[in-house]
Amino acid sequence: MQQLQQPFQLERHNLSVSGSVGIVLSSLGYENAADILRDVDVAMYQAKRLGRSSYVLLTNEMRARALDRIELEGDLQQGIAQQEFDLDYQPIIHLTTGKIVGFEALLRWHSPKRGLVSPSQFVPLAEETGLIDILDRWALQMACRQLDTWQQQFGEQFQVDMNVNLSAARLHRSNLLEQVECICDQIAGARSALKLEITESCLLENNSSALAMLESLNRAGIRLCIDDFGTGYSSLSRLHSFPVHTLKIDRAFVARLDHSRSGNKLVEAIVAMSRALGLEIVAEGIETIDQLRTLQNLGCELVQGFLFSPPLSATEATELLAQQYVLGLPTPVNLNRN
Ligand code: C2E
Ligand code: MG
Ligand code: MG
């Protein structure tokens, strides 16, 4: 590394380079070169994360983590090929009317080998590897098909939004708009009911291609929702210039409502800001009656959480809707469910 850092002359410029070094020990008992290169790569990337001119010696723990990841990636690829995915639907409730105004579609991976795998385990890896493109597109398609089925079953009275999560990385795919348009053209009513949930990172500075995509989606009549609001590092000054329709208060804020006055103040401020900007606001992760009462007092009307309902299978969600749309007349669901 010292040798690499020696300044050198390139034409008229004085330059120096730095290196990141990954090291593995042959005492780990390697049998082929490919395995050594794979592991040394892991150590080298770890070194890069430490900053310029670092070296890392691979530990057994790092190696085990890397192998787990490789195995998970293989299983995920296979899971996609074998169609092991499904969607659950969690209701979003309007507190004044008690009606279901929307559902959030949530990916579920039923792996024969691993059991039910949570999206928080596989979505980050899918994002890193690009597999999220296939998964998100599939989720969008399935959710819109479900919407179509409900629209046909419950008729003209049916007015329920469908929230679908979209990885922020997808905003940089030039064909995203085309895919969304294509699905909306196939399924009548999808365009007006669909809401795409994107995490705050899309609001980051210097993210002009993401902004351009959000604007195109907005022009195409698709509403956009900032998910997990308050947990990321969005620039508030940019929020008003983004074509966003809804903010979802992250459940970390809702969880603090029970315990602290400062927690209340934060949510109060988010609600006030949303009002000032003309944004709809949804609180997620409501688990207790106290949280519900506080949110009601703070003027937050749209809620989602285990207090009302966990994410449901399509069949269970259909049963819940049937209660609301019995004989085609919308009737409030029982808020004290669970
Ligand atoms: P999210 O979009 O913020 O979804 C809400 C998560 O909170 C869901 O977890 C839901 O089950 C959970 N939740 C809802 N109510 C409560 C509550 O009262 N208490 C608690 N403790 N949790 C509650 P889930 O289904 O495990 O999903 C985790 C995350 O995975 C999602 O967070 C979303 O970021 C991501 N995800 C899920 N489906 C997709 C998808 O189709 N595409 C992409 N890109 N990401 C997805
Ligand atoms: Mg979401
Ligand atoms: Mg969320």
Side-chain angles (χ1 to χ4, degrees), residues 10 23 34 106 129 179 284 295:
L10 185 70
I23 307 166
L106 293 158
T129 53
Q179 287 176 10
E284 64 178 341
L295 283 165

Side-chain angles (χ1 to χ4, degrees), residues 104 165 197 199 227-229 248-251 284:
E104 175 172 9
N165 290 287
E197 294 195 4
T199 52
D227 203 353
D228 306 341
F229 184 74
K248 255 189 167 182
I249 308 182
D250 189 72
R251 69 168 188 265
E284 64 178 341

Side-chain angles (χ1 to χ4, degrees), residues 87 90 104-108 118-120 123 127 132 135-136 139 164-167 197 199 227-228 248 250-251 284-287 304-307 309 311:
L87 289 181
Q90 188 176 31
E104 175 172 9
L106 293 158
L107 259 180
R108 296 292 175 256
S118 155
S120 47
V123 165
E127 285 176 335
I132 198 69
L135 287 173
D136 271 4
V164 179
N165 290 287
L166 186 78
S167 164
E197 294 195 4
T199 52
D227 203 353
D228 306 341
K248 255 189 167 182
D250 189 72
R251 69 168 188 265
E284 64 178 341
I286 288 113
E287 294 181 352
Q304 178 182 350
F306 294 167
L307 179 66
S309 169

